[in-house]
Amino acid sequence: MNWAKGHEKCKSCGTTEHKHKARGLCASCYDAATEKRQKSHVTRRMGSHLPIHITKEDLEQKYNSGLSLNDIARQYNCTRQYIYKLMAQYKIARRTMSEARSLALQQGKISYSSNVLSPGKTITHEKRHVNESFFKSWTPAMAWVLGAIYTDGCLTASLRPRGQSKSAKLGKLRLREQVVLANHGDVTAQFYLAAMYKHGVQALKWYILAAEGGDELAVVARDELSRKMTPDQIADARQRAREWAPQEKQADTVFRRFKIDQKEPELLEKVRAQIGSNALIRFRGKRGVAGALHTLSIDNATVCADLRQLGVTPRKSLTITFPPMPPHLVRHFIRGCWDGDGSVYWEGNDIYIVHASYVSGSKDFIEQLMRHLVDLGLPDRTIYKSTRSKNPSYYFRYSGLPCIKLYHVLYDGVDESMYLARKHDRFKAFVGYYERQGSQAQHRPRPVSYRPRPVSSVRSVKGRLQEIRASKAALINELKSYAHSKSPQSGMSEEED
Ligand SMILES: [Zn+2]
């Protein structure tokens, strides 16, 4: 086994006995390198007097102009530590760590290069931003993004609003904080705890709770783990999950991050563009039972507070209700939901048998959704309860002609930047085909007639029918190859969440 990822031994002293600290260096070499970096610019003899006296005014002016302690130290040919000491003596207020970090990011100072992670490249960190007023007023784009967040998004809480702990600053939560959050009912934290326990009754208990909270990965993990456990253990874990009750939330719980998970990055890229952010979309490959996922996460307390106001809850799937909104934006919101949890598919790849279905863990939400669809002119449909998994889910579907109406309701006059192309294209393939047929049918001579017709006329009807058959076959072929290229694992009818 390697000493560290990408390194056989310490780059500097060649040891493997001491632990790796960073950048291929052991702890003592790393500290020595840091010391050197901070002092190497000093050319005068150590201990000699400074050539220039540093006044309070000079120091204050330079510091407030945006120079760091290190920058100033370089100018005065002294160490950063000396400047730090002077600042304290002169009682000049220093920036907080987060202010200093933001400033350094703006100045492009924070960069790294790694032969392991990014060979041959230097990566400069950027200041991440987001349009903080995006969720403050209703627009079609905002309604669409909100729909996507309602179905596939998730709010993450932080217990420390001012982020005193180092781990909180890094956006990570300590185990203790995860435990507190899990006990408050935070699904992400529950999943994290379960994954940490990995095996046994405790792991299963937290997977059960996270799954009940609507975490889709937890459902898979729970079923997977159950298969490896004895019936007694499973019963024990179920019992503990039943006895568990969420603790009262502390007053200072603040939501600072929301994230959206998707199997494909397209929706995330479009959402990111809409909310005016440059946040990274991270990819995590398949790991154990958890599938590969793309994740967009936005760290911004203002945006999270707005989302909370708009009804996004941390335990989302089971508790969400349809938010009130201006009537003309409902269709945009529904399109966002459909891009998240809806699907459109052909049965056996036959263009004639198209279905559009919607699944939700919340009965309340799906009932309200149906009511809104009826208001928008769609026919009423029965909502079915699926009991395939322990948590019931609810679904309905439209087949055939109502899908055309649904297509127009969801997509008419909507820019590509506000929908998931894959679902739109599938709808459109059916609608386009049907409507082409419909317009031809109006001009087509009726094939059945009581009067005997001249031979030429019969031939032309036959020719037209052949033409239609050929175009149908061509379209189906096109769709088959389309469906195949989009999802190599299923050649037959497909449906996704
Ligand atoms: Zn070393």
Side-chain angles (χ1 to χ4, degrees):
M1 201 186 131
N2 274 356
W3 178 61
K5 194 176 173 186
H7 300 285
E8 296 288 332
K9 56 188 182 191
C10 173
K11 279 200 299 197
S12 172
C13 69
T15 186
T16 52
E17 274 171 36
H18 303 298
K19 267 169 83 179
H20 173 252
K21 187 157 181 181
R23 301 193 188 115
L25 297 170
C26 71
S28 60
C29 294
Y30 181 83
D31 292 345
T34 309
E35 177 104 358
K36 198 179 164 209
R37 197 170 66 242
Q38 289 182 351
K39 288 185 176 169
S40 59
H41 63 272
V42 180
T43 51
R44 78 200 155 72
R45 195 164 49 82
M46 276 294 164
S48 64
H49 281 287
L50 278 185
I52 327 160
H53 177 67
I54 308 174
T55 66
K56 184 183 178 189
E57 289 67 35
D58 280 352
L59 200 53
E60 207 158 23
Q61 188 268 324
K62 280 188 200 292
Y63 186 72
N64 292 337
S65 75
L67 292 178
S68 69
L69 299 185
N70 230 330
D71 296 337
I72 298 172
R74 284 207 175 82
Q75 292 187 1
Y76 284 112
N77 196 3
C78 65
T79 61
R80 179 193 174 281
Q81 286 85 340
Y82 180 64
I83 298 294
Y84 180 89
K85 204 172 92 184
L86 272 185
M87 296 273 289
Q89 263 174 28
Y90 289 149
K91 296 198 169 55
I92 301 172
R94 275 179 297 113
R95 292 182 268 272
T96 64
M97 276 181 90
S98 77
E99 285 165 354
R101 172 88 182 172
S102 292
L103 194 63
L105 284 172
Q106 274 170 28
Q107 295 169 347
K109 275 180 183 168
I110 301 176
S111 65
Y112 66 91
S113 57
S114 160
N115 289 331
V116 185
L117 302 172
S118 58
K121 273 194 296 190
T122 301
I123 293 173
T124 306
H125 284 269
E126 280 174 65
K127 178 84 184 148
R128 304 290 162 192
H129 55 77
V130 58
N131 175 5
E132 288 192 346
S133 52
F134 185 76
F135 291 103
K136 294 203 188 295
S137 54
W138 284 97
T139 62
M142 183 279 225
W144 175 68
V145 171
L146 188 64
I149 294 173
Y150 252 73
T151 49
D152 278 346
C154 177
L155 276 178
T156 313
S158 162
L159 293 178
R160 294 164 180 264
R162 277 162 293 280
Q164 291 92 338
S165 81
K166 199 181 172 198
S167 54
K169 270 187 201 115
L170 295 170
K172 293 174 195 154
L173 292 171
R174 287 178 177 167
L175 179 60
R176 186 165 45 83
E177 294 166 327
Q178 295 278 16
V179 171
V180 175
L181 282 175
N183 278 319
H184 286 169
D186 183 282
V187 178
T188 314
Q190 291 175 343
F191 184 84
Y192 175 90
L193 269 194
M196 218 202 59
Y197 280 113
K198 214 166 168 184
H199 305 292
V201 174
Q202 282 294 343
L204 188 59
K205 171 189 140 185
W206 287 115
Y207 275 135
I208 290 172
L209 289 167
E212 278 170 5
D215 191 301
E216 282 154 25
L217 293 178
V219 175
V220 180
R222 179 198 65 197
D223 296 346
E224 188 83 1
L225 184 58
S226 302
R227 253 172 262 138
K228 297 179 192 156
M229 292 172 68
T230 66
D232 279 357
Q233 285 175 313
I234 295 172
D236 188 12
R238 287 213 180 119
Q239 178 67 21
R240 290 188 197 198
R242 261 196 304 277
E243 282 164 4
W244 177 86
Q247 287 174 1
E248 276 294 300
K249 274 220 169 82
Q250 282 170 3
D252 65 347
T253 303
V254 165
F255 295 97
R256 338 180 90 238
R257 166 179 294 177
F258 82 90
K259 57 177 194 155
I260 314 180
D261 292 330
Q262 283 278 300
K263 287 179 207 147
E264 298 154 73
E266 183 196 336
L267 185 68
L268 303 180
E269 282 160 9
K270 288 180 173 174
V271 164
R272 179 174 64 177
Q274 292 292 354
I275 59 178
S277 175
N278 62 348
L280 284 178
I281 293 173
R282 290 188 172 80
F283 176 72
R284 200 198 62 193
K286 192 171 154 49
R287 222 186 267 169
V289 292
L293 269 187
H294 296 269
T295 303
L296 169 70
S297 48
I298 304 282
D299 294 287
N300 187 298
T302 310
V303 168
C304 289
D306 289 345
L307 286 173
R308 196 75 193 79
Q309 283 285 312
L310 289 163
V312 180
T313 58
R315 277 175 83 82
K316 53 180 179 99
S317 296
L318 301 183
T319 52
I320 49 167
T321 55
F322 207 93
M325 71 185 78
H328 69 286
L329 297 178
V330 168
R331 70 188 190 101
H332 298 287
F333 179 79
I334 294 178
R335 189 177 59 255
C337 296
W338 216 285
D339 282 343
D341 279 352
S343 68
V344 51
Y345 58 101
W346 300 290
E347 203 171 296
N349 277 338
D350 188 337
I351 186 80
Y352 283 124
I353 317 174
V354 72
H355 303 287
S357 69
Y358 194 89
V359 188
S360 174
S362 162
K363 187 164 183 265
D364 198 31
F365 183 80
I366 201 164
E367 281 173 357
Q368 293 172 69
L369 176 67
M370 179 45 77
R371 241 170 281 146
H372 281 285
L373 284 168
V374 171
D375 287 347
L376 288 164
L378 280 141
D380 201 358
R381 285 288 176 268
T382 313
I383 293 164
Y384 296 97
K385 184 175 175 182
S386 160
T387 46
R388 266 190 297 182
S389 63
K390 193 187 148 212
N391 301 308
S393 59
Y394 302 87
Y395 67 94
F396 64 81
R397 78 176 187 186
Y398 288 113
S399 302
L401 297 186
C403 294
I404 298 177
K405 176 79 186 165
L406 185 60
Y407 168 80
H408 289 298
V409 163
L410 295 183
Y411 296 105
D412 273 0
V414 172
D415 186 76
E416 206 190 326
S417 62
M418 281 197 280
Y419 59 71
L420 190 63
R422 178 169 50 83
K423 287 179 186 172
H424 166 267
D425 293 353
R426 233 179 251 175
F427 264 115
K428 201 182 169 204
F430 171 71
V431 172
Y433 173 68
Y434 187 86
E435 290 184 346
R436 250 193 331 274
Q437 291 291 70
S439 65
Q440 280 177 4
Q442 283 168 11
H443 308 293
R444 199 164 62 193
R446 289 173 62 91
V448 183
S449 168
Y450 293 111
R451 270 171 287 134
R453 278 158 298 155
V455 176
S456 61
S457 154
V458 174
R459 210 177 269 152
S460 80
V461 171
K462 268 189 181 165
R464 180 66 61 84
L465 282 173
Q466 267 168 5
E467 221 172 79
I468 292 168
R469 261 186 225 120
S471 77
K472 181 193 166 191
L475 190 71
I476 289 172
N477 270 337
E478 190 186 310
L479 297 173
K480 269 182 187 160
S481 64
Y482 171 86
H484 186 70
S485 70
K486 289 292 175 185
S487 64
Q489 75 275 23
S490 65
M492 295 303 284
S493 72
E494 49 183 308
E495 184 171 6
E496 63 275 309
D497 40 30

